[in-house]
Amino acid sequence: MSFSCFAHVRQDRLVPIDCAEEVHIELCLCLIKRCNDTVEQLKQNGSSVLLRCIHSKSHGITVVHVVSSSKFARKCEEAGVDAIVAEGFEAGGHNGREETTTLCLIPAVRRVTSLPLIAAGGIATGAGMLAAMTLGAEGAQIGTRFAFAAESSAHENFKNRCLSLEEGDTMLMLKKVSPTRLVKGGFFREVEEAENRGATAEELKTLLGKGRAKKGMFEGDLDNGELEIGQVASLFREQQTAAEIVHDIVTEYRNLLNESKEKLSI
């Protein structure tokens, strides 16, 4: 099966990544089994999922829901979604309250649902994708590595900051509002100080305000903006194009899959 992947670079255009070779469906980073048009209903409660699912499916739209626990995966299947993204604690931006890592979450969700399962959180390499599929996923959702790709619409200041991160340079904050993985910096320290003195959810919402993420990630204000990225960013030091990223991931996946087969045959 030949396919094309697309990377979002601006609001008004998409850049195709040429993937002309024949590739098995499990290697596709943007498509999954039974999914054509995709709508992600992000982290809503079960009743909202049901209402949105009914509305979307009545228009012929495939519904994919992001979850952070097996409990919500069951609710999604009951609501009639077509596929599930299980996102672990390592992910950038908004996270689940359970703080379950991807390594633990994928098999837990796989155990309770037969729906197509897409792994997310801490996956940015062929090795990570192979591990996720070994744990029971049919595909992988990769965000962090593409966030600082050459074509990404993120500000260069943000991209360069991400490419300089070390292990431990991101942390889950704002747990009283909506758990969010932030890069340590000016705004992070404001949140940390507020949380350490016992700030209420309302105080944290006031501190957060509006447009913080846009200010940090798209306008490049590293001191006052909200900087969201996954833990896996610390593995990378060089900016690549989206095509190079896809090629690297697919190549590594294939090589490691073959190596694994050889090891198992011993």
Side-chain angles (χ1 to χ4, degrees), residues 44-64:
Q44 303 293 324
N45 62 49
S47 58
S48 295
V49 174
L50 178 59
L51 293 174
R52 291 169 181 266
C53 186
I54 292 172
H55 175 75
S56 297
K57 289 175 76 68
S58 68
H59 288 80
I61 299 173
T62 299
V63 179
V64 182

Side-chain angles (χ1 to χ4, degrees), residues 55-235:
H55 175 75
S56 297
K57 289 175 76 68
S58 68
H59 288 80
I61 299 173
T62 299
V63 179
V64 182
H65 195 290
V66 182
V67 303
S68 57
S69 71
S70 55
K71 172 185 174 181
F72 287 113
R74 283 193 295 267
K75 283 191 174 184
C76 288
E77 185 161 10
E78 292 168 3
V81 304
D82 297 287
I84 291 173
V85 174
E87 184 180 77
F89 171 69
E90 303 92 329
H94 296 286
N95 251 291
R97 297 185 181 280
E98 300 82 4
E99 299 190 11
T100 305
T101 64
T102 303
L103 194 66
C104 296
L105 180 62
I106 300 308
V109 172
R110 180 75 289 163
R111 186 180 299 171
V112 301
T113 180
S114 60
L115 291 175
L117 176 58
I118 307 148
I123 303 171
T125 63
M129 190 166 75
L130 179 59
M133 292 182 175
T134 302
L135 291 170
E138 277 82 33
Q141 174 179 289
I142 299 174
T144 288
R145 193 168 177 182
F146 288 102
F148 43 77
E151 298 93 338
S152 167
S153 53
H155 196 281
E156 289 303 312
N157 290 350
F158 174 69
K159 295 182 189 181
N160 291 333
R161 179 70 180 106
C162 290
L163 289 167
S164 70
L165 294 175
E166 301 289 347
E167 295 172 38
D169 279 348
T170 68
M171 188 175 292
L172 203 64
M173 306 296 284
L174 297 166
K175 295 180 183 180
K176 291 181 181 179
V177 182
S178 178
T180 307
R181 182 168 295 284
L182 301 177
V183 175
K184 293 180 179 179
F187 175 62
F188 171 91
R189 287 189 286 273
E190 289 184 53
V191 173
E192 185 178 43
E193 181 183 344
E195 292 186 337
N196 287 342
R197 62 176 169 77
T200 65
E202 287 305 314
E203 289 175 321
L204 290 172
K205 287 179 182 177
T206 300
L207 175 61
L208 182 61
K210 293 184 178 181
R212 283 272 193 180
K214 179 182 178 183
K215 180 180 292 186
M217 294 185 282
F218 295 99
E219 296 177 0
D221 188 339
L222 303 184
D223 292 322
N224 301 303
E226 182 178 350
L227 310 177
E228 303 177 5
I229 204 71
Q231 287 181 323
V232 77
S234 64
L235 293 181

Side-chain angles (χ1 to χ4, degrees), residues 208-263:
L208 182 61
K210 293 184 178 181
R212 283 272 193 180
K214 179 182 178 183
K215 180 180 292 186
M217 294 185 282
F218 295 99
E219 296 177 0
D221 188 339
L222 303 184
D223 292 322
N224 301 303
E226 182 178 350
L227 310 177
E228 303 177 5
I229 204 71
Q231 287 181 323
V232 77
S234 64
L235 293 181
F236 304 98
R237 287 293 177 267
E238 295 181 4
Q239 187 179 85
Q240 295 177 291
T241 66
E244 290 170 337
I245 292 171
V246 172
H247 180 269
D248 284 358
I249 292 172
V250 171
T251 300
E252 184 179 54
Y253 174 94
R254 283 178 163 170
N255 291 340
L256 289 174
L257 181 60
N258 290 332
E259 288 178 19
S260 298
K261 289 178 180 178
E262 291 176 5
K263 289 177 182 178

